[in-house]
Amino acid sequence: MNKRAAFQMTLSMAIFGSIGFFTRQTGVSAEALVFIRCICATLFLGVMWIAVGQAKKEIWQKREVGRTLFCGIFLVLNWVFLFKAFEAMSISAAISIYNLAPIFVLIMGTLFLRERINIQSILAVVICFLGSLFVVGIDQFQSVDNFLNSGFIWAILSALCYAMTMFIGKGIQQLSAYATTFLQTIVGIIMLAPIVSMSEFSGLTMSNWLYILGTGFIHTGFVYYLFFNSLRHLPALVTSALVFVDPLVAILLDVAILDFRPTLLQFVGIACIFGGVIYTLIKPVPQQT
């Protein structure tokens, strides 16, 4: 195994695990933060794309570019919904539900690609959904409105959109990861520019701006560079395992800095979600009928 690549992947996931904490310190809405994030990522990754010489090697196919742009819509919505979830619920709960994305990919493969699903996979799906209800603290809600305002819907939508990004992105074969993300962040700028109010950025402190720019250049630009640079050198099983560094760091920061204290039911829910997701990632590749 390439130790340098493993280190880069681990570092990228560890840094990304702090995005929930950064989001809480920015002082702007989810839409505004994603808008700035897209601008920063476009600049950073665009420069890296040219610097490494990949821009000259791209193979542009109209159908694949169209798929990439369509995929970009779900990528941007995934970010917006995740940040909205961070605003409404604990980071640990939001990130745990967000990591249901592989489960949704499994379901999509069954529905649209006719991939076989066994009883163990069905059980894993059920356990994950029960875990998500435990994580959100469903036992503490007195009404449906109370539950809907908990952030659960935003977290589920973010996981669904992330799953759509992965599902649609499977068909992108020719474009490099740099080109793909560059195009998708351009989509984000176009999507969010009409709805973001520039007045949100007035009156922000220097600390707010540092967290905003950190989310853009570090969590998106630098992290994506490390991720893409290491991904090609690591086997899929190692990559799947290292991805869990992200939620681990997020939960540790939530407990250590933001004083999150999970109830017994929430702890069980987190264990259910990650147990089911780990099974989904390591199970044999399903056969098509």
Side-chain angles (χ1 to χ4, degrees):
M1 183 177 66
N2 188 316
K3 293 182 179 179
R4 179 184 176 129
F7 173 75
Q8 288 183 338
M9 174 69 78
T10 304
L11 180 61
S12 69
M13 290 297 98
I15 295 173
F16 193 77
S18 66
I19 194 169
F21 173 74
F22 270 60
T23 301
R24 291 277 185 89
Q25 316 302 317
T26 60
V28 295
S29 67
E31 295 86 350
L33 183 56
V34 174
F35 179 63
I36 295 295
R37 186 182 189 189
C38 287
I39 292 174
C40 293
T42 300
L43 293 173
F44 186 94
L45 292 174
V47 169
M48 294 305 303
W49 184 32
I50 295 171
V52 300
Q54 184 60 47
K56 297 179 180 179
K57 303 175 184 177
E58 297 294 344
I59 300 174
W60 300 95
Q61 296 180 353
K62 186 182 296 185
R63 184 173 181 179
E64 189 162 276
V65 170
R67 179 183 286 266
T68 299
L69 296 175
F70 184 57
C71 187
I73 295 173
F74 289 100
L75 178 67
V76 173
L77 290 175
N78 143 53
W79 288 343
V80 171
F81 293 145
L82 178 61
F83 291 170
K84 281 186 172 293
F86 286 150
E87 293 172 355
M89 66 198 311
S90 72
I91 292 171
S92 295
I95 207 71
S96 297
I97 297 171
Y98 179 68
N99 278 275
L100 285 172
I103 297 295
F104 290 132
V105 173
L106 172 66
I107 295 172
M108 290 172 188
T110 303
L111 293 176
F112 302 113
L113 300 180
R114 295 192 299 172
E115 293 177 343
R116 291 176 181 173
I117 183 170
N118 56 33
I119 189 65
Q120 290 86 357
S121 295
I122 295 173
L123 184 60
V125 170
V126 172
I127 289 174
C128 282
F129 277 109
L130 286 175
S132 68
L133 295 177
F134 293 160
V135 163
V136 81
I138 195 170
D139 59 315
Q140 303 173 18
F141 298 129
Q142 305 300 318
S143 67
V144 174
D145 285 342
N146 192 223
F147 172 70
L148 293 177
N149 293 328
S150 67
F152 177 78
I153 300 300
W154 294 127
I156 283 289
L157 286 173
S158 70
L160 276 169
C161 288
Y162 185 29
M164 286 297 294
T165 301
M166 291 190 287
F167 188 71
I168 298 171
K170 286 182 178 181
I172 301 172
Q173 301 294 331
Q174 299 297 327
L175 289 176
S176 71
Y178 294 107
T180 300
T181 308
F182 180 82
L183 290 175
Q184 291 171 345
T185 51
I186 289 289
V187 169
I189 295 172
I190 295 171
M191 283 175 59
L192 297 173
I195 64 175
V196 172
S197 172
M198 293 299 108
S199 62
E200 281 199 54
F201 301 103
S202 62
L204 295 176
T205 65
M206 179 62 71
S207 176
N208 291 143
W209 275 110
L210 288 175
Y211 282 111
I212 289 172
L213 295 177
T215 302
F217 284 110
I218 298 176
H219 289 102
T220 311
F222 182 60
V223 163
Y224 274 47
Y225 170 71
L226 288 178
F227 180 81
F228 294 145
N229 202 42
S230 59
L231 190 62
R232 70 190 72 179
H233 302 297
L234 295 172
L237 186 59
V238 173
T239 302
S240 299
L242 291 180
V243 163
F244 284 93
V245 173
D246 163 18
L248 176 62
V249 170
I251 293 171
L252 289 176
L253 287 176
D254 200 13
V255 171
I257 299 178
L258 300 178
D259 295 324
F260 170 68
R261 296 295 180 266
T263 64
L264 178 59
L265 196 61
Q266 286 177 315
F267 182 80
V268 171
I270 291 172
C272 286
I273 289 174
F274 289 112
V277 171
I278 289 171
Y279 172 79
T280 301
L281 291 174
I282 65 174
K283 73 180 182 64
V285 177
Q287 300 296 314
Q288 292 185 341
T289 57

